[in-house]
Amino acid sequence: MKNVVEISGVFKKYQMGATEVQALLGLNLEIKSGEFTALIGSSGSGKTTLLNLIGCLDDADRGKILIDGIDVSSLSEDEKSDLRNRKIGFIFQSFNLIPVLNVFENVEIPLTIRKDLTEEQRREKVMAALKDVELDTFADHRPDQLSGGQRQRVAIARALVTEPSLILADEPTANLDSKTANLIIDLMLELNSKKKMTFLFCTHDEKLMNRVQRVLRIKDGIIENYVHES
Ligand code: ADP
Ligand code: MG
């Protein structure tokens, strides 16, 4: 299978007044199309930093990041946001839904800048994504009329509506009770096995890891148990 993500020797530091925080220290990672990878690490270990770099929301100081074979350091800001919009889906801890929009409109957001789609094509894609998360009958509900688990399913639908190469999930279950958290993981695993969607799922919760085959551990800015697969 081809690599969706190829990262080699990536460094990232933050400046905090006079102090520097080294968040990533020469990190390597490959993710193949169709894989479900769990990245586990305690708070402050660099998970969000890594996802932000993969999602082209921030730039590495050093090292190489390829998304679908494209070197992101070679792209302009416009090209990066285009790549982000077409190839990456995001799921966040706090769902990040827009409260004044209904479920349909929230899921439609990533498609609204797509000039190549008609309104009808957008509608079909949104409804198909809502079916995938079993919320098609909730299309006209507002986020505040939904449970936490349902809100996160809306966010999953929004992440997959563009049919991205990769879905990045940053602690998507941290605001959910453990039963709901497990249902959200079940849903992501099912989307992975049935629809071959590629996931990189970050968590600090060891308990959630027992059903995921590929578990990587990040500590002090590198992946501890990383083995380069040839
Ligand atoms: P995680 O998501 O695993 O909790 P982060 O990637 O958010 O870890 O953080 C890694 C390290 O970088 C931590 O020491 C954190 O304090 C620091 N850090 C993250 N973002 C910033 C920022 N914007 N400014 C300064 N330091 C930051
Ligand atoms: Mg984080």
Side-chain angles (χ1 to χ4, degrees):
M1 270 303 198
K2 70 180 174 112
N3 283 328
V4 179
V5 176
E6 262 182 78
I7 293 181
S8 50
V10 160
F11 288 77
K12 177 72 183 176
K13 64 172 178 297
Y14 297 102
Q15 197 74 40
M16 286 265 285
T19 48
E20 271 183 0
V21 181
Q22 277 291 349
L24 300 180
L25 280 163
L27 185 137
N28 301 311
L29 173 63
E30 278 178 18
I31 294 176
K32 292 183 172 59
S33 182
E35 264 180 338
F36 192 109
T37 303
L39 183 67
I40 187 162
S42 57
S43 177
S45 57
K47 302 183 295 296
T48 297
T49 301
L50 177 61
L51 294 195
N52 287 347
L53 295 182
I54 294 173
C56 298
L57 294 166
D58 203 354
D59 299 317
D61 298 331
R62 205 139 63 80
K64 205 170 189 139
I65 300 177
L66 306 184
I67 306 296
D68 270 352
I70 300 164
D71 184 343
V72 301
S73 70
S74 69
L75 303 179
S76 67
E77 288 304 316
D78 280 355
E79 289 168 332
K80 268 193 280 191
S81 56
D82 190 59
L83 179 138
R84 181 164 64 232
N85 189 258
R86 288 180 179 271
K87 293 192 184 287
I88 313 267
F90 291 94
I91 305 169
F92 303 95
Q93 176 177 340
S94 49
F95 322 138
N96 291 15
L97 302 178
I98 298 183
V100 296
L101 299 182
N102 68 25
V103 164
F104 182 97
E105 292 161 339
N106 268 284
V107 174
E108 193 183 25
I109 290 170
L111 299 178
T112 51
I113 62 159
R114 288 274 297 269
K115 302 279 186 286
D116 54 325
L117 297 174
T118 65
E119 193 180 334
E120 180 55 25
Q121 287 170 322
R122 286 208 307 267
R123 206 190 66 81
E124 279 171 18
K125 283 179 183 290
V126 171
M127 290 314 295
L130 285 175
K131 248 200 166 76
D132 284 338
V133 301
E134 292 176 20
L135 282 178
D136 44 315
T137 59
F138 287 74
D140 57 0
H141 285 56
R142 295 274 170 87
D144 65 6
Q145 299 172 309
L146 304 177
S147 68
Q150 287 173 325
R151 285 182 211 186
Q152 197 55 301
R153 276 154 58 198
V154 175
I156 292 172
R158 182 184 55 190
L160 59 83
V161 74
T162 59
E163 297 167 65
S165 306
L166 173 68
I167 297 181
L168 301 173
D170 194 356
E171 310 221 23
T173 59
N175 284 347
L176 302 172
D177 62 80
S178 65
K179 183 161 168 264
T180 310
N182 275 299
L183 290 172
I184 290 294
I185 302 222
D186 288 342
L187 173 61
M188 293 195 296
L189 286 169
E190 187 186 309
L191 291 167
N192 170 254
S193 65
K194 287 201 182 142
K195 305 215 157 206
K196 307 288 169 240
M197 289 177 185
T198 312
F199 281 88
L200 176 58
F201 159 56
C202 283
T203 183
H204 64 264
D205 188 350
E206 295 271 348
K207 294 194 298 297
L208 295 172
M209 293 299 85
N210 43 19
R211 282 164 306 149
V212 181
Q213 281 185 344
R214 187 180 194 219
V215 179
L216 301 176
R217 281 170 200 284
I218 184 168
K219 192 180 173 201
D220 301 331
I222 58 160
I223 294 173
E224 286 190 311
N225 59 331
Y226 188 67
V227 182
H228 186 92
E229 294 158 47
S230 53

Short mmCIF file of all heavy atoms in Angstrom, two decimals, residues 16-65:
data_model
loop_
_atom_site.label_atom_id
_atom_site.label_comp_id
_atom_site.label_asym_id
_atom_site.label_seq_id
_atom_site.Cartn_x
_atom_site.Cartn_y
_atom_site.Cartn_z
N MET A 16 8.65 30.38 24.16
CA MET A 16 7.76 30.87 25.21
C MET A 16 8.51 31.93 25.98
O MET A 16 9.20 31.62 26.95
CB MET A 16 7.39 29.73 26.18
CG MET A 16 6.41 28.75 25.60
SD MET A 16 4.73 29.16 26.06
CE MET A 16 4.72 28.65 27.77
N GLY A 17 8.42 33.18 25.53
CA GLY A 17 9.24 34.21 26.14
C GLY A 17 10.71 33.88 25.92
O GLY A 17 11.13 33.69 24.78
N ALA A 18 11.45 33.76 27.02
CA ALA A 18 12.88 33.48 26.90
C ALA A 18 13.16 31.98 26.78
O ALA A 18 14.26 31.58 26.42
CB ALA A 18 13.62 34.04 28.11
N THR A 19 12.17 31.15 27.07
CA THR A 19 12.43 29.70 27.04
C THR A 19 11.95 29.07 25.75
O THR A 19 10.96 29.48 25.15
CB THR A 19 11.73 28.97 28.21
OG1 THR A 19 10.38 29.41 28.26
CG2 THR A 19 12.42 29.22 29.52
N GLU A 20 12.71 28.05 25.34
CA GLU A 20 12.34 27.26 24.17
C GLU A 20 11.81 25.91 24.64
O GLU A 20 12.37 25.30 25.52
CB GLU A 20 13.58 27.00 23.32
CG GLU A 20 13.83 28.06 22.29
CD GLU A 20 15.03 27.74 21.42
OE1 GLU A 20 15.66 26.69 21.61
OE2 GLU A 20 15.32 28.55 20.53
N VAL A 21 10.70 25.49 24.02
CA VAL A 21 10.19 24.15 24.29
C VAL A 21 10.40 23.31 23.04
O VAL A 21 9.90 23.67 21.97
CB VAL A 21 8.68 24.20 24.63
CG1 VAL A 21 8.16 22.80 24.93
CG2 VAL A 21 8.42 25.13 25.78
N GLN A 22 11.17 22.23 23.18
CA GLN A 22 11.36 21.33 22.04
C GLN A 22 10.20 20.34 22.05
O GLN A 22 10.14 19.45 22.90
CB GLN A 22 12.70 20.58 22.17
CG GLN A 22 13.90 21.37 21.68
CD GLN A 22 13.91 21.57 20.15
OE1 GLN A 22 13.13 20.95 19.43
NE2 GLN A 22 14.77 22.44 19.67
N ALA A 23 9.28 20.47 21.11
CA ALA A 23 8.10 19.61 21.09
C ALA A 23 8.35 18.32 20.30
O ALA A 23 7.94 17.25 20.73
CB ALA A 23 6.91 20.35 20.53
N LEU A 24 9.02 18.41 19.17
CA LEU A 24 9.37 17.21 18.38
C LEU A 24 10.87 17.20 18.14
O LEU A 24 11.47 18.23 17.81
CB LEU A 24 8.61 17.20 17.05
CG LEU A 24 7.08 17.19 17.13
CD1 LEU A 24 6.47 17.18 15.73
CD2 LEU A 24 6.57 16.01 17.94
N LEU A 25 11.47 16.03 18.30
CA LEU A 25 12.93 15.93 18.29
C LEU A 25 13.43 14.89 17.30
O LEU A 25 13.97 13.85 17.69
CB LEU A 25 13.42 15.57 19.70
CG LEU A 25 13.49 16.73 20.69
CD1 LEU A 25 13.57 16.21 22.11
CD2 LEU A 25 14.67 17.63 20.36
N GLY A 26 13.19 15.12 16.03
CA GLY A 26 13.68 14.19 15.02
C GLY A 26 12.76 13.01 14.82
O GLY A 26 13.18 11.86 14.71
N LEU A 27 11.47 13.31 14.75
CA LEU A 27 10.45 12.25 14.70
C LEU A 27 10.33 11.64 13.30
O LEU A 27 10.40 12.35 12.29
CB LEU A 27 9.12 12.85 15.14
CG LEU A 27 7.95 11.90 15.27
CD1 LEU A 27 7.17 12.22 16.54
CD2 LEU A 27 7.02 11.98 14.07
N ASN A 28 10.18 10.30 13.27
CA ASN A 28 9.94 9.56 12.03
C ASN A 28 8.60 8.85 12.11
O ASN A 28 8.23 8.34 13.16
CB ASN A 28 11.02 8.49 11.81
CG ASN A 28 12.40 9.09 11.74
OD1 ASN A 28 12.63 10.05 11.02
ND2 ASN A 28 13.32 8.54 12.52
N LEU A 29 7.89 8.81 10.98
CA LEU A 29 6.58 8.12 10.96
C LEU A 29 6.16 7.87 9.53
O LEU A 29 6.30 8.73 8.66
CB LEU A 29 5.53 9.01 11.65
CG LEU A 29 4.07 8.57 11.60
CD1 LEU A 29 3.86 7.24 12.33
CD2 LEU A 29 3.17 9.63 12.21
N GLU A 30 5.65 6.67 9.29
CA GLU A 30 5.00 6.38 8.00
C GLU A 30 3.61 5.84 8.29
O GLU A 30 3.43 5.03 9.18
CB GLU A 30 5.79 5.31 7.22
CG GLU A 30 6.96 5.88 6.47
CD GLU A 30 7.76 4.80 5.74
OE1 GLU A 30 7.23 3.68 5.54
OE2 GLU A 30 8.90 5.10 5.39
N ILE A 31 2.66 6.30 7.50
CA ILE A 31 1.30 5.77 7.59
C ILE A 31 0.86 5.35 6.20
O ILE A 31 0.93 6.14 5.25
CB ILE A 31 0.33 6.82 8.17
CG1 ILE A 31 0.71 7.12 9.62
CG2 ILE A 31 -1.11 6.34 8.08
CD1 ILE A 31 -0.12 8.20 10.26
N LYS A 32 0.46 4.09 6.10
CA LYS A 32 0.04 3.57 4.80
C LYS A 32 -1.46 3.77 4.62
O LYS A 32 -2.22 3.78 5.59
CB LYS A 32 0.37 2.08 4.71
CG LYS A 32 1.85 1.79 4.65
CD LYS A 32 2.09 0.29 4.48
CE LYS A 32 3.55 0.00 4.23
NZ LYS A 32 4.43 0.46 5.31
N SER A 33 -1.85 3.88 3.37
CA SER A 33 -3.26 4.01 3.04
C SER A 33 -4.03 2.82 3.62
O SER A 33 -3.62 1.67 3.47
CB SER A 33 -3.41 4.06 1.53
OG SER A 33 -4.76 4.23 1.20
N GLY A 34 -5.13 3.10 4.30
CA GLY A 34 -5.96 2.05 4.86
C GLY A 34 -5.62 1.66 6.28
O GLY A 34 -6.33 0.87 6.89
N GLU A 35 -4.55 2.22 6.83
CA GLU A 35 -4.15 1.87 8.19
C GLU A 35 -4.98 2.63 9.23
O GLU A 35 -5.39 3.76 9.00
CB GLU A 35 -2.67 2.23 8.43
CG GLU A 35 -1.74 1.06 8.23
CD GLU A 35 -0.28 1.41 8.47
OE1 GLU A 35 0.11 2.59 8.39
OE2 GLU A 35 0.47 0.48 8.71
N PHE A 36 -5.12 2.01 10.40
CA PHE A 36 -5.66 2.69 11.57
C PHE A 36 -4.53 2.72 12.60
O PHE A 36 -4.15 1.69 13.15
CB PHE A 36 -6.86 1.93 12.14
CG PHE A 36 -7.64 2.71 13.17
CD1 PHE A 36 -8.90 3.20 12.87
CD2 PHE A 36 -7.10 2.97 14.42
CE1 PHE A 36 -9.62 3.93 13.81
CE2 PHE A 36 -7.82 3.71 15.36
CZ PHE A 36 -9.08 4.18 15.06
N THR A 37 -3.99 3.89 12.84
CA THR A 37 -2.86 4.03 13.76
C THR A 37 -3.31 4.80 14.99
O THR A 37 -3.94 5.85 14.86
CB THR A 37 -1.71 4.80 13.08
OG1 THR A 37 -1.34 4.12 11.88
CG2 THR A 37 -0.49 4.90 14.00
N ALA A 38 -3.00 4.27 16.16
CA ALA A 38 -3.24 4.99 17.40
C ALA A 38 -1.91 5.52 17.90
O ALA A 38 -0.94 4.78 17.99
CB ALA A 38 -3.87 4.09 18.44
N LEU A 39 -1.88 6.81 18.21
CA LEU A 39 -0.69 7.44 18.76
C LEU A 39 -1.00 7.79 20.21
O LEU A 39 -1.88 8.59 20.49
CB LEU A 39 -0.36 8.70 17.97
CG LEU A 39 0.91 9.43 18.37
CD1 LEU A 39 2.14 8.61 18.04
CD2 LEU A 39 0.98 10.78 17.64
N ILE A 40 -0.27 7.12 21.11
CA ILE A 40 -0.57 7.30 22.52
C ILE A 40 0.60 7.99 23.21
O ILE A 40 1.76 7.72 22.89
CB ILE A 40 -0.94 5.95 23.17
CG1 ILE A 40 -1.42 6.14 24.58
CG2 ILE A 40 0.21 4.96 23.12
CD1 ILE A 40 -2.19 4.95 25.09
N GLY A 41 0.28 8.92 24.10
CA GLY A 41 1.34 9.63 24.81
C GLY A 41 0.71 10.56 25.82
O GLY A 41 -0.40 11.05 25.61
N SER A 42 1.43 10.83 26.90
CA SER A 42 0.89 11.65 27.96
C SER A 42 0.75 13.10 27.48
O SER A 42 1.28 13.47 26.43
CB SER A 42 1.78 11.56 29.20
OG SER A 42 3.08 11.95 28.85
N SER A 43 0.07 13.89 28.27
CA SER A 43 -0.13 15.29 27.95
C SER A 43 1.23 15.99 27.81
O SER A 43 2.11 15.78 28.63
CB SER A 43 -0.95 15.92 29.07
OG SER A 43 -1.11 17.28 28.83
N GLY A 44 1.41 16.76 26.75
CA GLY A 44 2.67 17.47 26.53
C GLY A 44 3.71 16.67 25.76
O GLY A 44 4.83 17.15 25.56
N SER A 45 3.35 15.47 25.30
CA SER A 45 4.34 14.62 24.62
C SER A 45 4.55 14.99 23.15
O SER A 45 5.46 14.48 22.51
CB SER A 45 3.96 13.14 24.76
OG SER A 45 2.67 12.92 24.23
N GLY A 46 3.68 15.84 22.61
CA GLY A 46 3.87 16.29 21.23
C GLY A 46 2.82 15.81 20.24
O GLY A 46 2.97 16.01 19.03
N LYS A 47 1.74 15.21 20.72
CA LYS A 47 0.72 14.64 19.82
C LYS A 47 0.06 15.72 18.94
O LYS A 47 -0.02 15.58 17.72
CB LYS A 47 -0.37 13.92 20.64
CG LYS A 47 0.15 12.81 21.53
CD LYS A 47 -0.97 12.09 22.26
CE LYS A 47 -1.74 12.94 23.25
NZ LYS A 47 -0.94 13.42 24.40
N THR A 48 -0.41 16.77 19.59
CA THR A 48 -1.10 17.83 18.84
C THR A 48 -0.14 18.53 17.89
O THR A 48 -0.49 18.85 16.74
CB THR A 48 -1.76 18.83 19.81
OG1 THR A 48 -2.75 18.14 20.57
CG2 THR A 48 -2.42 19.99 19.07
N THR A 49 1.09 18.74 18.35
CA THR A 49 2.10 19.36 17.48
C THR A 49 2.27 18.53 16.21
O THR A 49 2.29 19.07 15.09
CB THR A 49 3.45 19.45 18.23
OG1 THR A 49 3.26 20.23 19.41
CG2 THR A 49 4.52 20.08 17.37
N LEU A 50 2.38 17.22 16.37
CA LEU A 50 2.55 16.33 15.22
C LEU A 50 1.34 16.40 14.28
O LEU A 50 1.49 16.53 13.06
CB LEU A 50 2.78 14.90 15.70
CG LEU A 50 2.91 13.85 14.60
CD1 LEU A 50 4.10 14.14 13.68
CD2 LEU A 50 3.02 12.45 15.19
N LEU A 51 0.13 16.35 14.85
CA LEU A 51 -1.07 16.41 14.01
C LEU A 51 -1.16 17.74 13.27
O LEU A 51 -1.55 17.79 12.10
CB LEU A 51 -2.33 16.18 14.83
CG LEU A 51 -2.53 14.81 15.45
CD1 LEU A 51 -3.97 14.64 15.92
CD2 LEU A 51 -2.18 13.68 14.51
N ASN A 52 -0.79 18.83 13.95
CA ASN A 52 -0.83 20.14 13.29
C ASN A 52 0.15 20.22 12.12
O ASN A 52 -0.15 20.85 11.10
CB ASN A 52 -0.52 21.25 14.29
CG ASN A 52 -1.67 21.49 15.25
OD1 ASN A 52 -2.78 21.01 15.04
ND2 ASN A 52 -1.40 22.23 16.32
N LEU A 53 1.30 19.55 12.25
CA LEU A 53 2.25 19.54 11.14
C LEU A 53 1.73 18.68 9.99
O LEU A 53 1.79 19.09 8.82
CB LEU A 53 3.62 19.03 11.60
CG LEU A 53 4.36 19.88 12.64
CD1 LEU A 53 5.71 19.26 12.96
CD2 LEU A 53 4.54 21.31 12.15
N ILE A 54 1.19 17.51 10.32
CA ILE A 54 0.66 16.63 9.26
C ILE A 54 -0.51 17.32 8.57
O ILE A 54 -0.67 17.22 7.35
CB ILE A 54 0.22 15.27 9.85
CG1 ILE A 54 1.43 14.49 10.37
CG2 ILE A 54 -0.52 14.44 8.80
CD1 ILE A 54 1.08 13.22 11.13
N GLY A 55 -1.34 18.04 9.35
CA GLY A 55 -2.50 18.72 8.79
C GLY A 55 -2.17 20.05 8.15
O GLY A 55 -3.07 20.80 7.78
N CYS A 56 -0.89 20.37 8.03
CA CYS A 56 -0.44 21.63 7.40
C CYS A 56 -1.02 22.85 8.09
O CYS A 56 -1.29 23.87 7.46
CB CYS A 56 -0.83 21.68 5.92
SG CYS A 56 -0.10 20.40 4.93
N LEU A 57 -1.24 22.76 9.39
CA LEU A 57 -1.68 23.92 10.15
C LEU A 57 -0.49 24.68 10.71
O LEU A 57 -0.63 25.80 11.20
CB LEU A 57 -2.58 23.47 11.31
CG LEU A 57 -3.92 22.85 10.89
CD1 LEU A 57 -4.58 22.15 12.06
CD2 LEU A 57 -4.85 23.90 10.30
N ASP A 58 0.68 24.05 10.66
CA ASP A 58 1.90 24.66 11.18
C ASP A 58 3.08 24.07 10.39
O ASP A 58 2.93 23.05 9.72
CB ASP A 58 2.03 24.35 12.68
CG ASP A 58 2.89 25.37 13.41
OD1 ASP A 58 3.50 26.25 12.75
OD2 ASP A 58 2.97 25.29 14.65
N ASP A 59 4.24 24.74 10.48
CA ASP A 59 5.41 24.29 9.72
C ASP A 59 6.47 23.69 10.65
O ASP A 59 6.69 24.21 11.74
CB ASP A 59 6.04 25.47 8.97
CG ASP A 59 5.07 26.09 7.98
OD1 ASP A 59 4.37 25.31 7.28
OD2 ASP A 59 4.99 27.32 7.92
N ALA A 60 7.12 22.65 10.18
CA ALA A 60 8.23 22.05 10.93
C ALA A 60 9.44 22.97 10.85
O ALA A 60 9.59 23.75 9.90
CB ALA A 60 8.56 20.68 10.36
N ASP A 61 10.34 22.89 11.86
CA ASP A 61 11.59 23.63 11.81
C ASP A 61 12.59 22.94 10.88
O ASP A 61 13.39 23.58 10.21
CB ASP A 61 12.23 23.72 13.21
CG ASP A 61 11.34 24.45 14.20
OD1 ASP A 61 10.58 25.33 13.75
OD2 ASP A 61 11.41 24.14 15.40
N ARG A 62 12.53 21.63 10.87
CA ARG A 62 13.51 20.83 10.16
C ARG A 62 12.88 19.48 9.84
O ARG A 62 11.97 19.04 10.54
CB ARG A 62 14.72 20.60 11.11
CG ARG A 62 16.02 20.35 10.45
CD ARG A 62 17.18 21.07 11.14
NE ARG A 62 17.50 20.73 12.52
CZ ARG A 62 18.21 19.66 12.91
NH1 ARG A 62 18.62 18.77 12.05
NH2 ARG A 62 18.50 19.50 14.18
N GLY A 63 13.38 18.80 8.81
CA GLY A 63 12.88 17.47 8.49
C GLY A 63 11.89 17.51 7.35
O GLY A 63 11.58 18.58 6.81
N LYS A 64 11.40 16.35 6.98
CA LYS A 64 10.60 16.22 5.78
C LYS A 64 9.22 15.65 6.10
O LYS A 64 9.10 14.69 6.84
CB LYS A 64 11.34 15.26 4.84
CG LYS A 64 10.99 15.46 3.40
CD LYS A 64 11.93 14.65 2.51
CE LYS A 64 11.69 15.05 1.08
NZ LYS A 64 12.88 15.18 0.30
N ILE A 65 8.20 16.24 5.51
CA ILE A 65 6.83 15.74 5.66
C ILE A 65 6.21 15.60 4.28
O ILE A 65 6.07 16.59 3.55
CB ILE A 65 5.97 16.70 6.51
CG1 ILE A 65 6.58 16.87 7.91
CG2 ILE A 65 4.53 16.18 6.60
CD1 ILE A 65 5.84 17.84 8.80
#
